[in-house]
Amino acid sequence: MSSVKVEAYARALFEIAQAEGTLDRVEDELFRVARAFESNEQLRATLTDNTIPTERRQLVAEQLLGGKASDTTTQLVSLVVNSGQVRELPAIIDSLVKRASSEKKQEVAEIRSAVALSADQETRLAAALAKVTGKPVNLKVVVDPSVLGGLVAVVGDEVIDDTVRTRLDQLKTRI
Amino acid sequence: MIQYVNALLASEDPTITHHWLLPETAEIVYGGLASVIVVGALIKFAGPAIKKSFNARTEKIQKELDDAAAAKVNADSDAKNIRAALGDIAGERARMLAEADTQAAAVLTEGRTRIVAEVAELEAKAETDLSAARGRSSDELRAEISMLAALATPVVVEATLTDQTKNDLIEAFITSVGAAR
């Protein structure tokens, strides 16, 4: 799928969420959906399997998100599944998040952590990253047990990695 | 004389002999004269040839005797040489035996030296191989330990990462990022 098409879908989703007045929440939920889609092979295989009827795949997405995400988020994901562009879901959502951050004059900061961050920690981390980048950041936290401990922050092209996983990898290489 | 002979002959009957055994006198006379003439002729004409023949035979025999003497001398000389050669052979045999003994002793000494050197070389090589094997074993052991350590470390770290530790790590991250600029 071309980047133009991705941008078009992202803009459409963005405008719907904005019109609904739930942009912040939807953007956050979609971001988590995108990361889950990337990391869960079974989910990815199911939603991209063309042998399964589209309606059924939509139903799967709706059942997975039902009760856990807002209606708008669920409907937007269902919309992408229905359009047959589900393979591009992460790219569309990332573009949407970037657009939303840009709208708020913020830089997207993707954080990976082994455990969820408290609200206080998110606030202080956002402030610290804003201090580093010189721009306010739109924090997107992904709980990823594979990092074991610590955090890795990706802000634009900059990567700040202080995870236990990375340290272990470095230690393994040294050994 | 001739007349006497002729008269005598004329008076004799040639068909009758005077004695049953002896010849007639005239025959004796004639025979005697003829014999004298033949013997004289033999002495005169054949004597030198016979004498020459005898002399040649004598010379030939003398030559053969001289040759035999010379051959004897040569044989004596050869016998002497052979006897000397026999003596030389015994000496040569003794010399060769002595030389063989010397060479054998030299070969033995050289062989012993070589074997000692080879043993020393083998010992040195064995020592080197042993050291290398020890080094290899040590390296393999180190690699094994490293591999086990690499496998064990994440397990140990994961087991010791409590929620509090994870929270502390997050706090440390925020602090370090905040202090960066």
Side-chain angles (χ1 to χ4, degrees):
Chain A
M1 190 173 167
S2 68
S3 60
V4 177
K5 219 167 183 180
V6 168
E7 287 299 325
Y9 271 91
R11 191 171 60 246
L13 298 184
F14 173 79
E15 285 171 2
I16 291 168
Q18 201 173 35
E20 292 281 330
T22 54
L23 181 60
D24 285 352
R25 186 180 174 191
V26 168
E27 172 211 344
D28 196 54
E29 287 171 351
L30 283 175
F31 182 81
R32 291 176 203 280
V33 169
R35 302 292 81 83
F37 184 82
E38 280 176 337
S39 60
N40 192 323
E41 197 177 334
Q42 196 179 358
L43 174 65
R44 201 166 56 246
T46 306
L47 294 182
T48 56
D49 189 349
N50 290 328
T51 61
I52 301 171
T54 309
E55 294 76 20
R56 182 147 184 83
R57 282 186 277 155
Q58 276 182 290
L59 194 64
V60 169
E62 286 164 10
Q63 281 178 350
L64 279 172
L65 296 172
K68 293 176 191 164
S70 65
D71 288 346
T72 310
T73 302
T74 308
Q75 283 165 10
L76 290 177
V77 172
S78 179
L79 176 73
V80 175
V81 173
N82 186 45
S83 66
Q85 308 300 334
V86 73
R87 284 178 196 280
E88 302 299 331
L89 189 62
I92 293 168
I93 290 171
D94 285 347
S95 179
L96 180 146
V97 171
K98 202 177 272 182
R99 182 179 286 271
S101 300
S102 181
E103 191 79 9
K104 291 183 275 186
K105 305 214 183 311
Q106 289 179 331
E107 186 86 14
V108 178
E110 185 182 321
I111 309 296
R112 284 184 179 270
S113 169
V115 292
L117 272 62
S118 67
D120 176 52
Q121 283 174 329
E122 285 193 14
T123 307
R124 284 188 288 120
L125 181 58
L129 289 172
K131 195 175 166 190
V132 170
T133 58
K135 285 170 80 175
V137 294
N138 180 8
L139 215 60
K140 297 293 172 199
V141 181
V142 180
V143 176
D144 182 359
S146 72
V147 301
L148 298 176
L151 298 175
V152 56
V154 181
V155 187
D157 295 333
E158 197 166 354
V159 179
I160 306 166
D161 191 345
D162 192 22
T163 60
V164 174
R165 168 57 57 200
T166 304
R167 287 186 193 183
L168 282 174
D169 288 344
Q170 288 169 347
L171 180 66
K172 195 186 280 183
T173 306
R174 212 170 302 145
I175 288 172
Chain B
M1 174 80 171
I2 296 168
Q3 285 173 348
Y4 173 70
V5 170
N6 286 335
L8 189 62
L9 290 172
S11 64
E12 293 289 324
D13 184 358
T15 59
I16 302 166
T17 61
H18 293 88
H19 195 271
W20 60 278
L21 178 63
L22 294 174
E24 295 299 320
T25 307
E27 285 178 1
I28 292 169
V29 172
Y30 293 144
L33 282 172
S35 297
V36 168
I37 290 165
V38 167
V39 167
L42 280 172
I43 291 168
K44 184 166 175 64
F45 297 108
I50 290 167
K51 192 178 178 185
K52 192 179 173 185
S53 167
F54 279 131
N55 285 341
R57 184 174 174 77
T58 303
E59 281 174 10
K60 187 182 171 193
I61 289 167
Q62 187 60 49
K63 187 174 178 295
E64 285 176 354
L65 285 171
D66 291 345
D67 288 347
K72 185 174 178 297
V73 170
N74 286 337
D76 286 344
S77 174
D78 288 344
K80 192 178 174 185
N81 287 339
I82 287 166
R83 274 195 292 275
L86 279 172
D88 288 347
I89 285 168
E92 184 70 12
R93 181 172 168 271
R95 191 186 63 75
M96 283 171 74
L97 283 173
E99 193 177 328
D101 283 347
T102 308
Q103 283 181 358
V107 166
L108 205 63
T109 307
E110 189 191 338
R112 197 174 289 133
T113 308
R114 197 177 64 243
I115 285 167
V116 168
E118 280 175 4
V119 166
E121 193 181 333
L122 283 171
E123 280 176 355
K125 191 175 177 303
E127 188 64 36
T128 309
D129 289 349
L130 208 62
S131 297
R134 267 202 294 269
R136 266 201 307 278
S137 299
S138 180
D139 288 347
E140 282 167 9
L141 188 65
R142 204 172 293 128
E144 188 78 14
I145 289 168
S146 300
M147 195 187 73
L148 289 172
L151 289 172
T153 306
V155 178
V156 173
V157 170
E158 266 187 85
T160 55
L161 274 175
T162 60
D163 287 346
Q164 182 59 45
T165 313
K166 287 174 184 172
N167 197 52
D168 290 347
L169 287 169
I170 291 167
E171 288 298 332
F173 182 90
I174 294 168
T175 307
S176 70
V177 171
R181 282 185 195 169

